[in-house]
Amino acid sequence: MHIAVRELIRRPGRFVVVGGALTLLVLLLLFLGALLDGLFLNSSGAIRAQDTDAIVFSDDARESFLRSTIDAPTRAEVEAVDGVESTGGLGLSLLGVDIPDSDDIENAAVIGYERATDSLPEPPAPGETYADRDLDDLGADVGDTVLVGPAEVPLEIVGWVDDANYLLQYGLWVEPGTWREVQNANRPDAVVADDEFQVLTVSVADGADPEVVRAHIDGATGTTDSLSQNEAVFAIPGISEQNSTFAAVIGVTLFVVGLVVALFFALLTLERLGLYAVLKAVGARTRTIVFGVIVQSVAVALGAFVVGGVLTFGLAQVVPAAVPVQFETGRAMFTAGAVVVTSVLGALVSLRRIIRIDPASALGSGV
Amino acid sequence: MLLALREILRAKIRFGLLTGAVGLLVFLILFQQGLLGGLVTNFIGAIDNQNSPVLVFNDQARSNVEGSFLTPDQVDAVADVDGVAESGPIGEDTYTVDAGDDLQDAVLFGYELDGLGEPLTLSDGRLPEGPNEGVASSADADKGFAVGDTVTIVGAGDTDGPRIEIVGTGDNLRFSVAPTVFVSYETFEAAKRAVNPDARVVLPSLVAVEPADGVSTDELTDRIDAEVPGTEALTRQEAVDQSPGVQGVNQSFGIILLLAFLVVALVVGFFFLILTVQKAKALTLLRAVGAPSRYLVRNLLVQIGLVLGAGIAIGFALVALVGSVSTGDVAVDLDVRTAVFTVIGLAVISLLGGLASIRRVLKIDPLRATLDSGREI
């Protein structure tokens, strides 16, 4: 067995310090990542739930669902554009929802839709709703009737959908007529007409270039602004800024990981200079010693990731509901990889010191 | 020269790495606090910096201004509650506007001129005195919201809505991270009708209320909640604290900051502990030749202080750098009080981290120097 591994097994205490610091940093990284994913996914679920090549807004809405209006004549113009295969209407109302057996009013996004997708079934009957499964955690159940908005429009939950929230508000998916009823009863200052939607989702014909079709739609109507699904997600207010800010904070934290590992492996190397000199004197090659340091840094990083992961999961169980953390496998894998790579890079800061060790110094140092 | 300084100069990489790590952690802590301050101010500055001490929401709105509206009956009922000295409607909505030769999002707050809901932080110009005049958030002056600029509401079908002349600007008046303009309630109503000609009625989002003499804001909010069905009255501070997202943002950042402080304490504490253990032999010899414990502790404290001081300087320099190059809508808003408390907190937590090392130094027995090794401290 390699000497570095033996040291890890026999003297784990030596690595507790750097492991402890790394564990806290992993906890910080995973929590930041979970927060970013929770904010992003819970804000954009309703848009990502669509199977669409374009989302068409009215051009005066500046890519805002709530201010966009697509009337029937505009929809007809869109459907007449070459390359458009089919369209579906979407409308959103942000309102409070009263759940049976819950003391608090919760925030809901009542979303009227026409087309089933991979994650959304065909629209339910009037007065019924498919609710985001997160409402299950608040005590709602299939068969319950929730009351929406000040007008207390009743909606019966007839099933669950996953990952279908909007702007951190619980998604309640209804057929278009029910959405208009909810909107007009609760917002008399912002009524929607029959056949009117806020945006259209568009599927393009086989072989058609979605980007070209989007341009043709806007050219044909003169009053629309067509975005790809991804563009519509990042048009949600604050999403881009949120992502870039969190990415910067996560990046700086990773840099701190590298510095901390470099610092503690520098201290460990200093402590073991005499031992390294003896190893070199008895024939160990520099690369063998460096490989050992790398093995130890990887082991410490992975150990810290496992313990930090468990702690993060524990922390997530006790954080208030207002903190929207969500754990994603991809984020965890990225964090593990980044911590390992940064740790190795940090440990290699001691490389110069190890290379410079003179085997002859073993005679003088006497360890 | 103090022993502490000589040691630092001879071990530049070790202390450099520690200082770098502490500096980046201090930067993270300060940056996130600045970001938190900036976010909160940009999200609800308009509520925080208007003059109404009590705001009445629709109880279904969950303290969300954008989701709240009140019927005429509710507005009248609030005015009739015993203890209300003055009340008035406040309207809020987001519009597409033509400002600075560009289409932009802007929030309008409509209030009764010279009444409640008036902005408190006027920094340039004057308050509106009639229709189609407005006070804008000063942060957006260079986006076409400066005094003398005209902002046009884009109505339904790209028609022109009210043209609002900016007659003043005020600090920290943004709402939902968008340019915000305070106008007369009539102007707000006109804007609302311009974008939604089919609207059956324009309803206020909130009712602003001032308590009568001798009535506290808490008493009045309780009375309104009890007497006016379907409403939730909040003090201005409650309205700020309970705004959607603010609570979540505060709690999220609180956890992140706590973790960052813990990392600082752990890194600083363990670094000096390892260093102390590694120097055990030399420290024992120093004690044996007459160096008092307090001299060694002082050296340790000087090193902690220097590392922390340099780390804090790096942290502040990085925050200043990031603040100056930031082009986003949310500025890093680090106020002096927060910065001072952070520095004090870091000093305390670093000293706590160094306590184990100090304890080890105080336990050094000079007699050990006569043994083969002084490592047994």
Side-chain angles (χ1 to χ4, degrees):
Chain A
M1 192 188 291
H2 196 280
I3 193 167
V5 181
R6 281 177 195 267
E7 187 188 14
L8 275 167
I9 295 169
R10 290 189 184 176
R11 302 287 303 275
R14 275 191 169 171
F15 303 92
V16 162
V17 173
V18 62
L22 263 191
T23 298
L24 270 183
L25 285 164
V26 166
L27 176 59
L28 189 58
L29 282 169
L30 287 175
F31 186 78
L32 279 166
L35 193 58
L36 174 57
D37 289 338
L39 287 169
F40 178 78
L41 296 173
N42 278 296
S43 291
S44 60
I47 301 175
R48 288 182 292 102
Q50 306 303 313
D51 296 334
T52 183
D53 298 307
I55 297 184
V56 182
F57 296 77
S58 56
D59 64 354
D60 57 0
R62 289 185 38 80
E63 301 162 1
S64 160
F65 274 76
L66 300 180
R67 278 181 283 148
S68 179
T69 305
I70 301 288
D71 55 19
T74 306
R75 180 173 189 167
E77 284 178 322
V78 171
E79 287 174 337
V81 170
D82 204 24
V84 171
E85 186 182 76
S86 62
T87 65
L90 269 185
L92 273 152
S93 302
L94 302 181
L95 294 159
V97 59
D98 191 353
I99 300 163
D101 303 326
S102 173
D103 295 334
D104 293 327
I105 302 290
E106 301 296 336
N107 289 323
V110 178
I111 307 164
Y113 73 111
E114 291 184 311
R115 302 202 297 180
T117 69
D118 286 345
S119 52
L120 295 171
E122 289 292 338
E128 295 179 347
T129 180
Y130 293 115
D132 188 280
R133 200 178 296 277
D134 287 348
L135 268 184
D136 192 13
D137 298 338
L138 299 175
D141 211 344
V142 172
D144 284 350
T145 295
V146 296
L147 304 175
V148 180
E152 301 192 334
V153 178
L155 295 177
E156 183 190 352
I157 299 174
V158 293
W160 300 118
V161 287
D162 293 309
D163 192 14
N165 292 331
Y166 181 72
L167 277 179
L168 301 173
Q169 308 203 183
Y170 298 107
L172 292 173
W173 293 79
V174 298
E175 58 88 30
T178 304
W179 165 64
R180 290 191 192 96
E181 183 192 341
V182 168
Q183 171 74 12
N184 294 344
N186 286 290
R187 298 307 307 241
D189 55 340
V191 292
V192 286
D194 290 346
D195 299 328
E196 188 176 289
F197 286 95
Q198 287 170 330
V199 301
L200 291 180
T201 59
V202 175
S203 298
V204 303
D206 286 344
D209 182 344
E211 195 174 337
V212 173
V213 174
R214 288 196 292 269
H216 284 166
I217 290 171
D218 295 342
T221 63
T223 58
T224 59
D225 188 6
S226 301
L227 306 182
S228 68
Q229 189 170 17
N230 198 45
E231 287 168 341
V233 166
F234 284 92
I236 295 173
I239 284 277
S240 298
E241 293 83 355
Q242 183 178 284
N243 281 3
S244 57
T245 303
F246 271 84
V249 172
I250 288 171
V252 174
T253 308
L254 275 173
F255 198 65
V256 174
V257 168
L259 282 181
V260 167
V261 173
L263 177 68
F264 283 102
F265 269 89
L267 290 173
L268 278 176
T269 304
L270 196 72
E271 206 172 290
R272 294 184 296 202
L273 280 179
L275 288 168
Y276 286 154
V278 171
L279 282 173
K280 278 195 172 180
V282 297
R285 285 181 294 186
T286 297
R287 72 169 180 228
T288 307
I289 297 173
V290 171
F291 180 69
V293 170
I294 291 173
V295 166
Q296 289 178 342
S297 65
V298 170
V300 169
L302 288 176
F305 178 78
V306 171
V307 180
V310 171
L311 289 176
T312 311
F313 188 73
L315 180 66
Q317 308 307 309
V318 296
V319 295
V323 181
V325 288
Q326 189 159 331
F327 295 101
E328 294 294 306
T329 309
R331 174 75 59 188
M333 300 308 290
F334 167 80
T335 304
V339 168
V340 168
V341 169
T342 317
S343 298
V344 170
L345 291 174
L348 289 179
V349 169
S350 300
L351 189 62
R352 192 176 64 103
R353 194 103 197 201
I354 294 169
I355 291 170
R356 279 173 51 203
I357 293 171
D358 180 2
S361 65
L363 297 172
S365 73
V367 208
Chain B
M1 193 189 292
L2 260 178
L3 199 63
L5 296 178
R6 282 179 191 271
E7 188 187 0
I8 289 175
L9 289 176
R10 289 181 66 126
K12 292 189 196 79
I13 291 182
R14 260 176 288 162
F15 280 91
L17 286 170
L18 177 67
T19 307
V22 171
L24 281 177
L25 285 164
V26 172
F27 163 68
L28 272 181
I29 290 170
L30 291 172
F31 176 71
Q32 287 175 83
Q33 284 187 324
L35 198 63
L36 177 61
L39 272 173
V40 172
T41 302
N42 277 279
F43 268 110
I44 39 84
I47 294 294
D48 203 13
N49 293 304
Q50 54 76 41
N51 70 352
S52 177
V54 171
L55 295 165
V56 183
F57 292 73
N58 185 307
D59 69 351
Q60 292 269 331
R62 284 174 52 88
S63 321
N64 183 354
V65 178
E66 290 173 310
S68 178
F69 68 88
L70 296 166
T71 62
D73 289 347
Q74 287 173 317
V75 175
D76 293 342
V78 169
D80 290 341
V81 170
D82 190 31
V84 171
E86 185 186 348
S87 69
I90 291 181
E92 181 277 340
D93 210 347
T94 305
Y95 298 89
T96 300
V97 300
D98 188 348
D101 294 328
D102 202 7
L103 286 182
Q104 306 183 39
D105 293 344
V107 177
L108 285 198
F109 268 82
Y111 70 103
E112 290 181 340
L113 299 184
D114 299 323
L116 296 170
E118 185 176 273
L120 289 169
T121 52
L122 193 71
S123 55
D124 191 16
R126 60 172 174 80
L127 291 170
E129 292 169 354
N132 298 330
E133 291 186 344
V135 165
S137 42
S138 57
D140 303 299
D142 60 353
K143 292 180 179 173
F145 294 85
V147 174
D149 287 343
T150 298
V151 175
T152 305
I153 305 290
V154 177
D158 287 339
T159 56
D160 277 355
R163 291 167 58 84
I164 301 164
E165 184 192 354
I166 305 299
V167 295
T169 57
D171 295 333
N172 299 328
L173 288 182
R174 274 185 171 174
F175 189 78
S176 282
V177 204
T180 301
V181 185
F182 283 74
V183 295
S184 69
Y185 194 74
E186 293 72 25
T187 308
F188 169 78
E189 285 181 316
K192 196 90 177 174
R193 291 191 191 283
V195 297
N196 196 342
D198 297 332
R200 296 193 289 265
V201 61
V202 175
L203 299 172
S205 310
L206 313 169
V207 175
V209 177
E210 185 172 290
D213 287 345
V215 179
S216 73
T217 52
D218 287 340
E219 278 176 281
L220 188 56
T221 54
D222 288 345
R223 283 186 204 172
I224 294 171
D225 289 348
E227 293 177 28
V228 186
T231 64
E232 182 184 26
L234 300 172
T235 64
R236 181 169 50 214
Q237 192 57 47
E238 286 170 342
V240 168
D241 294 340
Q242 294 177 28
S243 285
V246 170
Q247 207 178 2
V249 165
N250 276 329
Q251 288 169 339
S252 304
F253 276 85
I255 293 168
I256 293 167
L257 289 170
L258 176 69
L259 290 173
F261 269 104
L262 281 177
V263 175
V264 172
L266 202 66
V267 169
V268 171
F270 279 139
F271 174 83
F272 282 103
L273 186 61
I274 293 175
L275 220 54
T276 306
V277 171
Q278 286 182 347
K279 291 185 301 192
K281 200 170 178 180
L283 293 173
T284 308
L285 274 174
L286 278 170
R287 288 283 286 118
V289 297
S293 291
R294 67 172 178 278
Y295 172 72
L296 301 181
V297 170
R298 198 173 68 211
N299 274 301
L300 187 63
L301 291 176
V302 166
Q303 286 182 340
I304 292 176
L306 285 174
V307 166
L308 189 65
I312 288 171
I314 290 171
F316 272 100
L318 288 173
V319 169
L321 189 69
V322 169
S324 65
V325 300
S326 172
T327 55
D329 272 343
V330 178
V332 176
D333 182 10
L334 185 65
D335 65 65
V336 177
R337 214 175 115 210
T338 306
V340 169
F341 277 119
T342 302
V343 168
I344 293 171
L346 285 166
V348 170
I349 212 153
S350 299
L351 284 176
L352 285 176
L355 274 183
S357 307
I358 293 169
R359 196 171 143 264
R360 290 243 172 187
V361 169
L362 290 174
K363 275 176 62 186
I364 292 173
D365 179 2
L367 203 62
R368 292 277 177 195
T370 61
L371 302 175
D372 186 44
S373 168
R375 285 181 185 275
E376 297 169 47
I377 62 171

